[in-house]
């Protein structure tokens, strides 16, 4: 079971240059031998303010896809991450009706705003993936196979859902098993070691990689705990607080995906995954642009 944030590009961008696949993201070269002070202030530093102004006006995009069998807690987790109803809840299913469903992929767009910054969030829900296979609580070969393919086109962030349903020992054991399976099967997940830019990146990312997959709890219900409203799950033995690090690792996941790595997730998707995909499509096509596919989105934009 896993969830993977995804950034995808649909536009058929063309260029004569076919980039080498899977290269490091382009980083600006360090200036050498130019003393700008000598010539007086130019104003290069204003670029940051210009970027800020533009982003404040237009907002920024973020696409996230959640994958896993239905009932796993995917919609709840995305709602918990963005503290709003950004993903639909699974329709109530009953055991009698467990007919294998067609994998239906649905993208739902939202604009959420915080501190004047607009985020155009697209949640791609894949309800029912893996429903046909009934093998509770283990990393199924289907997941591994799927992840192998997916890791070549998007950033994968494996997550253990409903961590409150496991004992501490089970959680530790499951975490180790998932990590081992990923390693044995050569599945690379985000943040990929090969894209660490420097020692600072490496130190920070090593810490994250070591604690993955995050074992999380999701909820869209609020409770009063010590005079504070918190998101949590009420159980007969107390309230499991979603953002309390002694209860689960949701806060680690949230900080990582939203507060520290959101921009990098987008950059790796754009510079590595999308460029690799584009190069492949160009090569497959003998340099011709990919055929345009009629999608729901195209229809909508044509209205
Ligand atoms: P989805 O089909 O994967 O989108 O799953 P949902 O988010 O709709 O959740 C399915 C059920 O699991 C709902 O009844 C949720 O309240 C419950 N659920 C979601 N997250 C958790 C969790 O972290 N722990 C527990 N115990 N239940 C959860
Ligand atoms: Mg759902």
């Amino acid at each position: 079971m896993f969830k993977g944030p995804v950034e995808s590009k649909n536009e058929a961008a063309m260029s004569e240059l076919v980039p080498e696949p899977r290269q490091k993201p382009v980083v600006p070269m360090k200036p050498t031998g130019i003393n700008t002070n000598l010539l007086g202030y130019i104003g290069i530093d204003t670029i940051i303010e210009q970027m800020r102004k533009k982003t404040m006006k237009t907002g920024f995009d973020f696409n996230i896809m959640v994958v896993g069998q239905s009932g796993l807690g995917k919609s709840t987790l995305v709602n918990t991450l963005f503290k709003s109803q950004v993903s639909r809840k699974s329709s109530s299913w009953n055991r009698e009706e467990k007919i294998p469903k067609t994998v239906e992929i649905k993208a739902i767009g939202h604009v959420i705003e915080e501190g004047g910054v607009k985020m155009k969030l697209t949640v791609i829900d894949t309800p029912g993936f893996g429903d046909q296979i009934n093998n509770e609580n283990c990393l199924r070969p289907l997941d591994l196979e799927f992840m192998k393919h997916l890791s070549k086109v998007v950033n994968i962030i494996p997550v253990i859902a409903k961590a409150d349903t496991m004992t501490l020992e089970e959680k530790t054991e499951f975490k180790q098993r998932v990590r081992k399976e990923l390693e044995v099967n050569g599945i690379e997940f985000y943040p990929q070691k090969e894209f660490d830019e420097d020692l600072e990146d490496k130190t920070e990312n090593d810490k994250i990689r070591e604690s993955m997959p995050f074992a999380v709890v999701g909820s869209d219900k609020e409770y009063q705990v010590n005079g504070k409203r918190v998101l949590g799950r009420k159980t007969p033995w107390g309230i499991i607080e979603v953002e309390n690090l002694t209860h689960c690792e949701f806060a680690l996941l949230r900080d990582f995906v939203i507060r520290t790595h959101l921009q990098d997730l987008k950059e790796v998707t754009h510079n590595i995954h999308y460029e690799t995909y584009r190069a492949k499509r160009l090569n497959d096509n003998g340099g011709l642009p990919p055929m345009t596919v009629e999608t729901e989105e195209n229809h909508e934009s044509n209205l």
Side-chain angles (χ1 to χ4, degrees), residues 20-80:
E20 281 283 303
R22 294 194 81 79
Q23 276 179 348
K24 286 194 74 171
V26 184
V27 281
M29 286 200 310
K30 287 203 175 84
T32 47
I34 301 169
N35 184 354
T36 48
N37 287 340
L38 203 70
L39 308 165
Y41 177 68
I42 302 171
I44 295 169
D45 57 353
T46 64
I47 185 83
I48 306 295
E49 180 55 20
Q50 292 173 44
M51 284 160 91
R52 196 191 69 86
K53 260 174 116 172
K54 192 150 191 166
T55 311
M56 292 293 276
K57 227 179 254 171
T58 57
F60 66 96
D61 296 301
F62 188 60
N63 301 336
I64 185 164
M65 178 165 83
V66 279
V67 184
Q69 68 188 115
S70 64
L72 195 65
K74 301 183 295 298
S75 305
T76 311
L77 181 63
V78 176
N79 289 342
T80 317

Side-chain angles (χ1 to χ4, degrees), residues 2-8 62-68 74-75 77-78 81-82 87 103-108 121-127 129 146-147 149-151 153-159 257 265:
F2 71 99
K3 324 256 149 64
V6 177
E7 255 289 305
S8 65
F62 188 60
N63 301 336
I64 185 164
M65 178 165 83
V66 279
V67 184
K74 301 183 295 298
S75 305
L77 181 63
V78 176
L81 265 179
F82 298 101
S87 186
V103 179
E104 180 205 9
I105 298 180
K106 197 173 175 187
I108 310 170
L121 176 71
T122 305
V123 178
I124 303 151
D125 210 350
T126 58
F129 174 82
F146 188 66
M147 271 198 272
H149 287 286
L150 215 58
S151 65
V153 285
V154 292
N155 290 318
I156 288 189
I157 298 179
V159 167
V257 172
L265 271 163

Side-chain angles (χ1 to χ4, degrees), residues 52 59 66 90 131 147 151 181 235 241 259 278:
R52 196 191 69 86
V66 279
S90 60
D131 282 0
M147 271 198 272
S151 65
E181 293 269 11
T235 71
E241 297 165 47
R259 299 188 184 179
R278 195 169 72 90

